[in-house]
Amino acid sequence: MNFKDIFKNKSTMSTDKTDKEIVENEINLPTEENPTEENPSVNGATGVEPEVELTLEQQLEADLTNEKDKHLRLFAEFENYKRRTTKERIESFKTANQEVLQAMLPVLDDFDRALVEISKSEDKAMLLGVELIHEKFKSTLFSKGLEEVEVRKGDAFNADYAEAITQIPAPTPDLKGKIVDVLEKGYKLGDKIIRFPKVVLGN
């Protein structure tokens, strides 16, 4: 081997070593002797927790609990719906009756006035006939829920149940600040007053 061959072999070995170092430095691959942190799978750490599989019995229990919860919610919603619709139906019925009954109140007032005037005459047959019609008409209205607001002469005035039209000097000391006369009767439907009694107060 001459001098040129020896120089060529050394140059080749140097070049091979240099290329190998460059490749390792650029790729930076982990080796078994020196594992890096950038590849956690080498150390056996995947970063994902394994899923816990339920047994068939546990799955069935979970499904049953779910269905029970849905059933209870549905039952509660249905009960609320029933109560709401029942209340709305009652309110609608009362409102419908209220309009009709309020329209009939002036007719009932006319019957009351007619009875007062007819009772002054001597025609007993006419008085009896009007009384029968009046009672039948009144009982029909009362059967639909109409009630008279009880206000009498001498009662203490209550603005929640009566409407004061005017004040006059009290005829007697005990009527001062109290109801002296009832000009128009009041009526209510259930707990709601649909027409307040109109009264005169003693001053």
Side-chain angles (χ1 to χ4, degrees), residues 14-15 51 54 57 59 67 72 87 146 161 168:
S14 176
T15 303
E51 294 184 1
L54 298 176
E57 184 179 352
Q59 185 63 46
E67 293 302 321
L72 289 174
K87 183 179 179 180
L146 186 69
Y161 296 97
I168 63 172

Side-chain angles (χ1 to χ4, degrees), residues 45-203:
T46 60
V48 178
E49 295 183 0
E51 294 184 1
V52 180
E53 293 186 2
L54 298 176
T55 64
L56 179 60
E57 184 179 352
Q58 290 173 333
Q59 185 63 46
L60 290 175
E61 286 180 356
D63 292 343
L64 180 60
T65 303
N66 244 349
E67 293 302 321
K68 281 183 177 179
D69 184 62
K70 288 180 182 178
H71 174 73
L72 289 174
R73 290 177 182 275
L74 184 62
F75 181 76
E77 288 177 4
F78 180 67
E79 286 297 316
N80 291 335
Y81 169 77
K82 277 186 8 181
R83 283 195 292 268
R84 185 170 61 252
T85 52
T86 301
K87 183 179 179 180
E88 288 174 356
R89 189 166 57 250
I90 293 173
E91 291 297 327
S92 176
F93 178 76
K94 285 183 177 180
T95 303
N97 273 354
Q98 178 177 335
E99 293 176 358
V100 175
L101 293 173
Q102 280 180 320
M104 293 292 103
L105 292 181
V107 182
L108 189 58
D109 294 336
D110 290 340
F111 265 111
D112 292 335
R113 296 187 191 98
L115 281 175
V116 173
E117 296 302 321
I118 293 174
S119 63
K120 296 177 182 178
S121 70
E122 296 181 356
D123 194 339
K124 302 300 181 182
M126 187 190 328
L127 177 61
L128 182 59
V130 174
E131 283 179 343
L132 290 174
I133 297 171
H134 174 259
E135 285 301 321
K136 187 173 183 178
F137 179 62
K138 190 175 180 180
S139 61
T140 301
L141 296 181
F142 279 32
S143 68
K144 301 301 179 182
L146 186 69
E147 297 179 35
E148 185 176 341
V149 179
E150 296 293 334
V151 175
R152 298 287 182 268
K153 179 180 178 180
D155 291 346
F157 176 72
N158 188 340
D160 293 332
Y161 296 97
E163 179 182 352
I165 300 299
T166 187
Q167 292 184 353
I168 63 172
T172 57
D174 59 317
L175 288 177
K176 191 172 183 179
K178 295 184 178 180
I179 297 173
V180 175
D181 192 15
V182 180
L183 300 179
E184 187 177 77
K185 292 180 180 179
Y187 295 94
K188 61 182 180 178
L189 184 60
D191 295 330
K192 182 181 179 181
I193 297 178
I194 60 175
R195 191 177 79 178
F196 286 88
K198 293 179 175 56
V199 299
V200 177
L201 297 182
N203 189 3

